[in-house]
Amino acid sequence: MTTRNIHALRIGLAISLAAGIGMPIYAAGDKLTVVVTDEPKSLDPCDTDLSGNSRILHNNITEALVNLSPADGSVVPSLATSWRQVDDLTWEFKLREGVTFHDGKLFDSNAVVAAVKRAQDPALACEVGLATLKGVKLNAVVVDPTTVLIKTDVVEPILPNKMSAVDIGSPATPHDGKTRSPAGTGPYKLEAWTPGQSVTLTAYDGYWGDKPAVKNATIIWRAESAVRAAMVETGEAQIAYEIAPQDGTSKQDQAFPNAETSLLRIDAQVPPLDDKRVREALNLAIDRDGLVGTIFHEDAQKAMQVVPPSVFGFNPDIPLWTYDPEKAKSLLAAAKADGVPVDKEIVIYGRIGIYPNSSESLEAIQAMLAEAGFNARLEMLETSPWLKRLLKPWDKERQPSILQTQIDNAEGDAVFTLPNRFTTDGNQSTIADAKLDKLIADGSKATGDERKKLFQEAFRYIAVDAVNIAPLFHMVSIARVAKDVNYTPDVQAGNEIKLKSISYH
């Protein structure tokens, strides 16, 4: 059977599967179904740092004080109409008046204070507190109902950018645990979350801004790209995200840069991966050119660091890894001669559906590593067990591993990427390096050219000195959009569905 026939058979099977799912076919202009890769892990307003949660919550159910423009990353108004820096440690935000939460409570300074405090509560372990707000302590203070001061314990020159990630939930949101029923100020309110099936949203009549054109939205999830694509073809969904290159061949498929960088995170604290030669060999063993246009989209760009060129602090002078399996073998041999246990099994942890062809990419990389002399075993995980490998605490007796992951940075500054992933106490960091800690800390406090210089040096240090990652590609996504739907995905589409912007012809 030819490759073309196999692909046709695969698509036909996907359409059959989609047709048998039993979802309603929406023809009316007040209903929309969107299919994504996996179910959200949380719908708590403080957990929007995980993209699976954010794409349902952010600017749909909940909103932040400010947003970032997808065009240039500039800070634009949302629940705050203006802001200014009062002194080195204090920012003032003026709040929008006449805004109510879905539960009827008033949006005011007290709501902001409660949300900021909650986001940083260590007992809640909010994703925004562990990632975006890491390294800075915020103290929100009421001046009057529409004026709030946010004080920091260290100089934070881009606090407004960071506040774009802090979604504001109702003051009635529980303080002693996460909520599954968020009440925000957004254009949609949560109708229902049926575990394992769908999230349904309805337009909020009291929304302060422009009303959404589509009144009812349903978000569902399917792991297979071909199934997601077929559901748009059959009319069971109107928008499908993360379509694989081999499935995204119709005029309805829109490719766009998505601010994500794919990589393998190397656990540099466990032998043999604690030896830099082994980590370098791992990078040299990967044929990135062979992966582009086959498993990854043809427009994907080889990465030399974990942020795309649009991010402030990107270093254009870091050399790309070359494919050199013979040098990789030589480095492994030298390490083995020095007693490094290079023959020890290394597990490659992948996440099912993290991006199209995620399993296939690791199968290819596993074969490349084996050819270079690595003893690597592949283990594909669903999102929940994968998160346990991504986030601390980890078992001290754990097996040496590399982890398939993606890092997105639509916020436009390196501070949104570096601290949580590369400092000693970072919740996702596999290294402890005092020099790198200082570079990141100093860069986070600096401004202008000094800030850029320090962040560029941090990225160089990670790539050249620490080598605790195997960067792969700056990614391109494909979304399939029904013919009668007006929707153009932008660079933020990986984290935001932006339902309010969608309409029918």
Side-chain angles (χ1 to χ4, degrees):
M1 184 178 287
T2 68
T3 301
R4 179 177 296 178
N5 288 337
I6 292 172
H7 185 61
L9 180 63
R10 182 168 173 263
I11 293 298
L13 178 60
I15 292 175
S16 298
L17 288 171
I21 288 169
M23 294 296 297
I25 297 177
Y26 291 145
D30 65 345
K31 295 180 179 179
L32 182 86
T33 297
V34 179
V35 57
V36 297
T37 55
D38 54 359
E39 185 171 9
K41 299 306 148 191
S42 164
L43 287 183
D44 192 286
C46 76
D47 277 343
T48 53
D49 255 68
L50 290 178
S51 59
N53 306 333
S54 176
R55 62 191 171 201
I56 295 177
L57 282 166
H58 190 56
N59 286 324
N60 292 322
I61 299 174
T62 54
E63 299 174 301
L65 292 181
V66 297
N67 280 319
L68 299 178
S69 166
D72 59 9
S74 61
V75 184
V76 296
S78 183
L79 291 177
T81 56
S82 64
W83 49 94
R84 67 185 182 96
Q85 189 168 13
V86 178
D87 57 46
D88 285 348
L89 300 178
T90 309
W91 288 79
E92 177 190 84
F93 290 83
K94 291 288 187 179
L95 306 183
R96 192 176 298 278
E97 298 184 46
V99 177
T100 58
F101 289 95
H102 302 155
D103 59 4
K105 294 189 178 299
L106 181 68
F107 167 74
D108 59 10
S109 296
N110 287 310
V112 176
V113 169
V116 169
K117 182 178 180 180
R118 190 173 182 276
Q120 298 176 105
D121 185 345
L124 289 177
C126 292
E127 292 298 332
V128 70
L130 294 171
T132 298
L133 300 182
K134 177 178 168 51
V136 58
K137 184 177 181 181
L138 307 184
N139 179 31
V141 179
V142 172
V143 176
D144 59 48
T146 60
T147 308
V148 64
L149 297 179
I150 298 182
K151 299 177 178 290
T152 62
D153 61 335
V154 295
V155 176
E156 185 47 86
I158 61 164
L159 182 70
N161 300 63
K162 288 197 169 186
M163 293 308 297
S164 69
V166 182
D167 279 30
I168 311 295
S170 166
T173 305
H175 294 281
D176 57 352
K178 299 286 182 70
T179 182
R180 291 180 62 89
S181 303
T185 59
Y188 289 88
K189 60 183 180 180
L190 178 67
E191 185 72 18
W193 178 5
T194 306
Q197 295 185 34
S198 64
V199 173
T200 55
L201 310 177
T202 57
Y204 174 46
D205 291 337
Y207 183 56
W208 59 268
D210 294 335
K211 304 301 188 291
V214 178
K215 303 299 182 184
N216 303 283
T218 301
I219 296 92
I220 59 177
W221 39 91
R222 300 290 182 265
E224 285 291 324
S225 163
V227 171
R228 293 194 297 273
M231 292 185 76
V232 176
E233 290 298 303
T234 62
E236 296 181 78
Q238 285 69 53
I239 299 174
Y241 288 98
E242 298 293 347
I243 303 302
Q246 66 269 20
D247 300 322
T249 56
S250 78
K251 293 181 179 180
Q252 295 169 247
D253 297 309
Q254 301 184 33
F256 59 96
N258 65 6
E260 299 265 14
T261 301
S262 62
L263 65 143
L264 304 176
R265 186 193 67 184
I266 304 170
D267 191 342
Q269 297 177 334
V270 179
L273 297 173
D274 60 343
D275 189 288
K276 183 179 177 181
R277 292 168 295 184
V278 177
R279 302 195 297 274
E280 289 178 339
L282 191 152
N283 272 283
L284 292 165
I286 299 173
D287 181 8
R288 293 165 176 83
D289 287 319
L291 295 172
V292 175
T294 53
I295 293 175
F296 290 86
H297 194 278
E298 62 184 1
D299 294 334
Q301 300 296 312
K302 288 188 291 185
M304 46 190 177
Q305 57 206 288
V306 297
V307 295
S310 59
V311 171
F312 187 85
F314 176 87
N315 189 334
D317 298 323
I318 301 173
L320 290 167
W321 285 101
T322 58
Y323 175 50
D324 194 339
E326 294 307 314
K327 185 175 180 181
K329 292 175 184 177
S330 176
L331 286 168
L332 287 179
K336 184 174 184 177
D338 290 339
V340 178
V342 299
D343 296 326
K344 191 172 183 180
E345 182 185 75
I346 298 170
V347 60
I348 307 171
Y349 290 120
R351 178 183 140 192
I352 298 170
I354 190 172
Y355 46 74
N357 299 331
S358 56
S359 298
E360 290 86 346
S361 70
L362 290 190
E363 289 168 2
I365 289 172
Q366 179 190 23
M368 294 171 190
L369 296 181
E371 183 180 347
F374 283 92
N375 177 15
R377 172 176 63 86
L378 175 59
E379 185 174 339
M380 296 301 299
L381 304 170
E382 297 288 352
T383 303
S384 291
W386 175 84
L387 284 171
K388 292 180 180 178
R389 269 77 176 185
L390 175 71
L391 305 172
K392 292 177 179 176
W394 300 310
D395 184 357
K396 291 182 179 179
E397 304 302 319
R398 63 191 182 275
Q399 187 173 354
S401 67
I402 56 179
L403 182 86
Q404 177 188 48
T405 188
Q406 278 198 130
I407 296 176
D408 74 274
N409 191 321
E411 296 87 355
D413 190 279
V415 77
F416 293 97
T417 294
L418 289 170
N420 190 45
R421 297 174 177 90
F422 296 101
T423 58
T424 298
D425 61 349
N427 196 40
Q428 301 178 27
S429 178
T430 65
I431 56 173
D433 190 303
K435 181 176 179 179
L436 183 57
D437 288 349
K438 187 175 188 323
L439 280 171
I440 294 172
D442 290 348
S444 300
K445 299 173 187 176
T447 59
D449 289 343
E450 180 66 12
R451 184 183 186 86
K452 178 184 286 188
K453 177 183 175 182
L454 289 165
F455 281 150
Q456 286 181 336
E457 178 58 21
F459 283 125
R460 190 209 65 80
Y461 192 86
I462 290 165
V464 177
D465 297 299
V467 195
N468 77 313
I469 58 169
L472 296 175
F473 302 101
H474 302 308
M475 299 288 278
V476 171
S477 283
I478 301 173
R480 176 164 292 186
V481 181
K483 295 176 182 178
D484 59 345
V485 170
N486 292 311
Y487 172 64
T488 301
D490 59 31
V491 70
Q492 296 171 339
N495 291 325
E496 293 185 44
I497 296 178
K498 295 184 179 179
L499 291 168
K500 190 177 70 168
S501 71
I502 302 169
S503 63
Y504 284 89
H505 294 317

